[in-house]
Amino acid sequence: MEEAIRKLKELVDGSDNIVFFGGAGVSTESGIPDFRSVDGLYRQKYAYPPETILSHTFYMRHKAEFYDFYRAKMLAPDARPNAAHKKLAEWERAGKLKAVITQNIDGLHQKAGSREVLELHGSVLRNYCEKCGKFYGVEAVAGSTSVPKCICGGDIKPDVVLYEESLDEDVLAKAVHYIRNADMLIIGGTSLVVYPAAGLVRYYRGHKLVVINKGQVGAPLGADLVIDGPIGQVLSQV
Ligand code: NAD
């Protein structure tokens, strides 16, 4: 591990065009469970599998049940950025990192101070009325019971990409642009199995591809450096 961290430090020192691509594993050290770890949400038992509950169809048909799960499992109002979020923000301030591209919906990269954050799957911090479009913060959902309602009577929906829904095209295009032009790409804390997000890393054309993940990622990437370990602990040593 020591040798791998030394190599990572060398790569980071030599680059001023780093792009980070991450997922739920980036926030587990902040106390937010991911989906696929041993203690992730997919190993817990619910009436339906999480990917069913978090689908567009389920949301449309069973909103109250969707929100029971969503409030209990997807909101983490007390979570704070960990060493990984903080290090990435520090690299951006230092002019080394160009963008964080995240599948996370928790807002922790921005809380840590990162500015160029592309949220592929939206954010729990933004919500809107399905009828009149009025915007609501996370409190409107966290403090609600059953289905949160707008003052106009419409249902409030999280600005989160549910299964079966498409990703924002502008965000996707920007993500492709950053990855394609990156000198160094760090992929961290993601199983890399949720598409189309996972497919974005294929746009990288450089020779400094680093993977920092607990366990293997979904597809062989031919990475130049692979570090199997907790990303917060790893990045805090760089
Ligand atoms: P995932 O659960 O499929 O995979 C997480 C990966 O990170 C696993 O390989 C796991 O071993 C690894 N990991 C866990 N903790 C780690 C750590 N401390 N350091 C390094 N690696 C660690 O998550 P995913 O790939 O992001 O895809 C699933 C979907 O989960 C995404 O679409 C995302 O929107 C959603 N999600 C987001 C949050 C969040 O916003 N924090 C939480 C749960 C799920």
Side-chain angles (χ1 to χ4, degrees):
M1 177 76 101
E2 239 172 60
E3 174 55 20
I5 287 171
R6 194 196 56 70
K7 174 99 194 289
L8 175 60
K9 193 170 165 10
E10 196 179 294
L11 289 172
V12 170
D13 285 346
S15 182
D16 60 0
N17 182 3
I18 303 169
V19 170
F20 180 81
F21 181 95
V26 175
S27 293
T28 54
E29 287 163 85
S30 294
I32 303 179
D34 63 6
F35 279 174
R36 292 177 185 79
S37 288
V38 279
D39 49 357
L41 291 181
Y42 283 10
R43 308 285 174 108
Q44 300 175 21
K45 289 276 166 268
Y46 303 101
Y48 303 91
E51 62 267 60
T52 301
I53 305 177
L54 294 171
S55 69
H56 182 79
T57 305
F58 193 90
Y59 173 79
M60 296 307 285
R61 291 190 186 152
H62 314 279
K63 275 188 197 172
E65 256 180 281
F66 168 90
Y67 269 113
D68 284 345
F69 178 87
Y70 181 86
R71 270 186 297 263
K73 299 296 173 185
M74 303 311 290
L75 299 183
D78 299 327
R80 295 283 163 263
N82 63 51
H85 301 103
K86 289 178 191 167
K87 182 62 75 173
L88 295 167
E90 184 187 312
W91 286 344
E92 186 185 13
R93 278 194 299 276
K96 300 185 75 58
L97 181 136
K98 297 294 179 219
V100 167
I101 301 167
T102 184
Q103 300 165 84
N104 292 350
I105 54 177
D106 55 32
L108 288 183
H109 286 292
Q110 291 92 331
K111 260 190 198 156
S114 284
R115 287 181 305 254
E116 188 65 342
V117 181
L118 303 185
E119 293 173 314
L120 296 170
H121 294 157
S123 172
V124 299
L125 304 182
R126 298 187 298 269
N127 304 274
Y128 63 93
C129 171
E130 291 187 278
K131 200 165 150 200
C132 74
K134 184 174 162 52
F135 175 85
Y136 287 90
V138 67
E139 328 72 51
V141 174
S144 65
T145 47
S146 189
V147 180
K149 293 286 182 188
C150 177
I151 45 171
C152 81
D155 295 342
I156 295 176
K157 186 173 190 287
D159 185 9
V160 160
V161 179
L162 300 175
Y163 287 97
E164 305 161 358
E165 293 180 342
S166 38
L167 276 61
D168 183 296
E169 283 187 16
D170 291 341
V171 177
L172 270 179
K174 263 180 123 177
V176 168
H177 172 82
Y178 275 120
I179 293 174
R180 198 176 253 156
N181 293 294
D183 164 53
M184 175 172 178
L185 179 66
I186 305 178
I187 299 171
T190 173
S191 59
L192 229 50
V193 297
V194 177
Y195 280 81
L200 288 173
V201 301
R202 299 278 171 206
Y203 286 94
Y204 178 62
R205 299 181 294 198
H207 302 287
K208 296 177 191 169
L209 178 59
V210 178
V211 175
I212 308 170
N213 204 62
K214 273 163 80 175
Q216 284 188 346
V217 297
L221 294 167
D224 302 286
L225 178 63
V226 176
I227 302 181
D228 189 334
I231 190 161
Q233 280 183 43
V234 169
L235 291 189
S236 66
Q237 295 174 65
V238 177

